[in-house]
């Protein structure tokens, strides 16, 4: 079992042998390798679980929400700011 972060497919990335998709993860967009998924590439709007930069499983929107709630319980709050700013606006680390 691995820790999977849910993300919603925005679009497939041209080139790369059809292996990359742009995925929205709580407001931050990331390129993710989709080559491990069975069947056809995921369509825009579908949800996947991501582990170490790879989409490892397709999930429903309800399963994605449940996974996000689990991450919150473990201490990772959701944030509209992909850099992890707290609600008061202070930046939580790294380069702004």
């Amino acid at each position: 079992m691995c820790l999977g972060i849910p993300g919603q497919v925005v679009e497939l990335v041209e080139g790369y042998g059809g292996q990359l998709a742009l995925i929205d993860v709580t407001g931050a967009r990331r390129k993710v390798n989709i080559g491990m998924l069975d069947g056809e590439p995921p369509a825009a709007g579908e949800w996947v679980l991501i582990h170490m930069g790879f989409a490892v499983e397709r999930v429903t929107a309800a399963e994605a929400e449940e996974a996000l709630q689990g991450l919150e319980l473990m201490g990772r709050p959701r944030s509209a700011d992909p850099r992890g700013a707290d609600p008061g606006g202070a930046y939580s680390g790294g380069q702004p």
Side-chain angles (χ1 to χ4, degrees), residues 1-49:
M1 181 176 187
C2 67
L3 176 63
I5 307 297
Q8 189 172 32
V9 177
V10 175
E11 65 185 6
L12 298 179
V13 176
E14 291 292 323
Y16 302 99
Q19 299 284 307
L20 287 183
L22 186 63
I23 310 267
D24 185 285
V25 179
T26 63
R29 292 185 172 189
R30 305 194 180 336
K31 289 180 183 172
V32 173
N33 187 305
I34 57 171
M36 293 178 64
L37 296 175
D38 290 331
E40 294 295 314
E46 285 189 69
W47 288 87
V48 295
L49 285 183

